[in-house]
Amino acid sequence: MDANAVAELEQAGVRVDAPESLYVAVEWDGEGKHVRPVGERVQIRAGEQLAHVTLKPISQLFTGDAKPPSFTKAPPLEYQPFFLLIEATAAAYCRAVRNTETDQEFERLYRHLLRRPDRNPLFSHLQGAVRLYMSLRDVSQAEFEAVIQRLHQSAKHFETHTGSINYFQEVLRGVLGA
């Protein structure tokens, strides 16, 4: 958790006790043609409210050594806000750019999120969502890895063929009520 990020969000009037109601919003360049990658300063959407917050890198946000439960079935309730914040960010990104990523791409992005490289512009938004959640709640490295591995498996589960968009249609669309 990052007390500075929590304080910054609270100062902006954002409720930090419900991270499942937040997501990383898309920001466009000055011409409105290209999505800006998420950097240190991140635009957050909480309902109709927009706020900016400075977030530390993921590697600086690991806290403790808690062991996650098995995610082979539905994630336990206490982990659902983490999943929802990441998936709401993914859904909002796809909606904003009017492009639905394939199941295969989500699988790849979640796999790469474990390694944290800078790839697809959506990647920086997913990374921003993780950074936001980890700024609001204590998350161990093992918990982080388990959540992202489960998201990777979910995207892979919905993939039926190259180019399928089932993960978006079946999971992400419902996250934002799209």
Side-chain angles (χ1 to χ4, degrees):
M1 189 155 69
D2 179 5
N4 291 330
V6 170
E8 202 174 336
L9 287 168
E10 287 176 340
Q11 252 182 348
V14 174
R15 290 186 51 214
V16 298
D17 60 337
E20 66 274 13
S21 65
L22 307 175
Y23 63 87
V24 175
V26 170
E27 287 191 87
W28 298 90
D29 66 8
E31 298 173 15
K33 292 182 180 179
H34 302 286
V35 173
R36 287 187 180 146
V38 173
E40 182 179 319
R41 193 109 174 108
V42 180
Q43 182 172 258
I44 306 301
R45 180 170 289 282
E48 295 301 312
Q49 182 181 11
L50 287 173
H52 282 85
V53 62
T54 302
L55 299 176
K56 294 179 180 176
I58 292 170
S59 60
Q60 293 179 18
L61 291 166
F62 293 127
T63 307
D65 57 1
K67 301 295 180 216
S70 170
F71 291 142
T72 54
K73 296 186 180 178
L77 289 176
E78 65 267 22
Y79 286 89
Q80 287 182 0
F82 198 1
F83 283 93
L84 284 171
L85 196 153
I86 295 168
E87 292 184 325
T89 297
Y93 178 92
C94 289
R95 184 170 61 188
V97 301
R98 292 178 165 53
N99 180 34
T100 303
E101 295 291 349
T102 65
D103 302 333
Q104 192 173 39
E105 181 65 3
F106 275 111
E107 178 188 347
R108 187 183 73 75
L109 289 169
Y110 289 138
R111 185 177 61 244
H112 288 312
L113 190 54
L114 287 171
R115 298 181 198 131
R116 297 175 286 287
D118 190 12
R119 302 265 187 236
N120 180 318
L122 172 56
F123 177 81
S124 71
H125 286 76
L126 296 174
Q127 193 176 46
V130 170
R131 290 168 51 211
L132 173 60
Y133 186 86
M134 291 175 69
S135 294
L136 302 177
R137 298 287 185 272
D138 290 339
V139 177
S140 70
Q141 184 170 356
E143 290 172 309
F144 161 78
E145 290 173 355
V147 167
I148 302 306
Q149 182 61 34
R150 179 62 167 94
L151 287 166
H152 168 259
Q153 290 170 344
S154 292
K156 186 174 185 168
H157 169 78
F158 284 96
E159 182 184 356
T160 56
H161 61 282
T162 301
S164 67
I165 58 170
N166 298 323
Y167 176 68
F168 177 83
Q169 291 179 328
E170 300 294 325
V171 178
L172 299 182
R173 186 176 280 162
V175 171
L176 291 179

